[in-house]
Amino acid sequence: MTETILNFVDNSTLSTVKRCALHAHYRYEMHWTPEDRPIYFDFGSAWHSSENALWIAVCHQHVDQANALSIAYDAFLVKWAELGRDPNPSQTILEEWTPRTPGIAKEMLKNYIAQRYDWLRYKVELLAVEQPFVVPLDPNDHTIFYTGRLDKVIREGGFVKVPEHKTTTDYRVAGDHFSQQFIDSFDPNSQVEGYNHAAKVIYGEEAQGVFIDAALVHKKEHASFRMIPAYASKDRLEQWRQETLFWAQQWLQFKRVGFFPRNTNGCVDQYHKRCAYSNTCRQYGQAIYDLDPPRGMKVEKWEPYDLNVLRKAAEEVLKHG
């Protein structure tokens, strides 16, 4: 009996395929990534870690505000160090990082706790933190699965909701200082719609959907936070499912034939920043699999989920229909 080959796709991979399949090939097949990781990535990762620790401490352990701040900031610093960042950098480096610094993160956490503590402590039931999921994309093809991880799952007001933590430096003077461009970026948004779909599959009608737990990162303004509803209708989620299945099938076909078409309109983005793989693309084109990474690149596999765990989860999904 031939073993069924299960294929797993995620938002990061498919979003890259949409921009440029060759870019996706370099990152997700060759596992090449720039040696220098941007500060916004590390700050966002550390902020997520601090929020995980904070929510567990308040919702499950019922700690007071002072201890909550200590626990959350310690978690930020631990992740910061894991990522190779100095918690006490020189003034020059500090200026390069600003506003994404540990000191500003601590001020943000202090204000976040002041604003959200009572809500977390008394109104939220925390059901899950960093919950992985595996959901089928095609009812007629049980070999393609969409995977991801929900930042939080909570029950509030009789509904299951999925908070997604996001940070931004996109500042405006008026109101709560979040730019309309940032707010609008979540509707429509393929990642958010995918998480809405997963929540509906896992929790059924009880699931209301995703909201963005947004935090502004700014040199002087440290108390701007906003919950942005990002729910999606049944019709919208069906549209997302069909589109995602289409792109998943495209990606799998590219891998089968070993050809990854470029999108030369995406070599320079809207901010006039050149693609990290532009030199690699010009030098290698369709990369050979046994090449060493080019200068300025390193090998770092994209493995946010354990493949064996994904297979077992997919088999459970198939077993229970």
Side-chain angles (χ1 to χ4, degrees):
M1 183 176 178
T2 304
E3 182 181 358
T4 301
I5 298 175
L6 301 179
N7 298 287
F8 301 98
V9 295
D10 57 64
N11 178 73
S12 181
T13 302
L14 294 186
S15 294
T16 307
V17 173
K18 294 174 193 177
R19 292 196 304 272
C20 176
L22 187 55
H23 182 142
H25 170 61
Y26 290 141
R27 179 64 190 97
Y28 302 105
E29 291 289 290
M30 301 294 290
H31 308 296
W32 292 347
T33 189
E35 290 179 342
D36 295 328
R37 195 171 49 242
I39 187 64
Y40 68 80
F41 181 91
D42 288 352
F43 187 92
S45 295
W47 181 258
H48 270 76
S49 293
S50 69
E51 289 293 299
N52 290 348
L54 171 63
W55 283 52
I56 291 170
V58 176
C59 294
H60 288 173
Q61 299 166 359
H62 305 158
V63 304
D64 61 23
Q65 292 195 34
N67 282 319
L69 175 59
S70 178
I71 290 169
Y73 188 55
D74 283 350
F76 182 97
L77 292 179
V78 167
K79 188 64 176 180
W80 195 250
E82 286 178 2
L83 295 168
R85 299 289 182 177
D86 187 347
N88 300 296
S90 66
Q91 187 61 35
T92 300
I93 294 177
L94 196 64
E95 290 173 0
E96 291 177 1
W97 288 351
T98 300
R100 297 181 176 97
T101 67
I104 287 178
K106 187 173 185 178
E107 291 302 310
M108 290 171 61
L109 286 168
K110 186 186 302 181
N111 287 299
Y112 183 95
I113 292 168
Q115 293 181 30
R116 299 282 173 82
Y117 182 86
D118 286 350
W119 177 71
L120 289 170
R121 176 69 177 83
Y122 301 109
K123 296 183 179 181
V124 167
E125 179 187 358
L126 182 60
L127 303 178
V129 174
E130 299 287 350
Q131 178 179 341
F133 64 81
V134 178
V135 293
L137 280 176
D138 188 348
N140 301 312
D141 181 353
H142 296 160
T143 66
I144 304 178
F145 290 85
Y146 183 77
T147 68
R149 198 184 302 275
L150 306 177
D151 279 357
K152 308 284 183 297
V153 181
I154 65 172
R155 184 176 283 109
E156 182 204 20
F159 293 99
V160 170
K161 303 177 183 180
V162 179
E164 284 292 311
H165 304 300
K166 300 292 183 183
T167 61
T168 179
T169 57
D170 199 354
Y171 174 86
R172 71 170 183 175
V173 175
D176 62 3
H177 306 302
F178 288 97
S179 74
Q180 194 60 46
Q181 182 179 5
F182 173 75
I183 296 167
D184 290 344
S185 69
F186 301 107
D187 184 18
N189 180 290
S190 62
Q191 180 189 39
V192 170
E193 290 172 353
Y195 289 2
N196 272 301
H197 173 77
K200 290 290 185 182
V201 171
I202 298 168
Y203 295 99
E205 293 304 313
E206 191 181 8
Q208 186 174 50
V210 175
F211 70 84
I212 306 305
D213 184 22
L216 180 71
V217 187
H218 188 263
K219 186 175 183 178
K220 296 181 179 180
E221 175 54 56
H222 305 145
S224 289
F225 307 99
R226 182 168 182 172
M227 296 181 185
I228 305 170
Y231 310 134
S233 67
K234 184 177 180 179
D235 288 343
R236 174 92 72 83
L237 295 185
E238 175 58 17
Q239 180 181 6
W240 170 88
R241 187 193 66 79
Q242 293 182 26
E243 291 170 351
T244 304
L245 177 61
F246 168 82
W247 284 107
Q249 291 171 333
Q250 290 289 302
W251 175 235
L252 294 174
Q253 177 64 10
F254 293 153
K255 293 202 295 181
R256 274 193 292 267
V257 301
F259 180 76
F260 304 88
R262 299 174 300 159
N263 172 22
T264 55
N265 291 327
C267 295
V268 179
D269 66 17
Q270 59 181 325
Y271 304 107
H272 309 294
K273 183 179 179 181
R274 184 170 289 279
C275 170
Y277 297 92
S278 59
N279 291 334
T280 305
C281 178
R282 288 195 295 265
Q283 182 177 356
Y284 294 105
Q286 299 295 319
I288 302 170
Y289 282 89
D290 60 358
L291 282 178
D292 291 329
R295 186 177 182 181
M297 292 281 170
K298 63 181 178 180
V299 173
E300 184 176 274
K301 285 192 174 184
W302 172 253
E303 293 180 328
Y305 322 104
D306 185 291
L307 194 55
N308 291 324
V309 173
L310 291 182
R311 288 197 183 99
K312 289 179 181 178
E315 288 166 359
E316 284 298 311
V317 171
L318 296 177
K319 187 187 300 182
H320 295 94

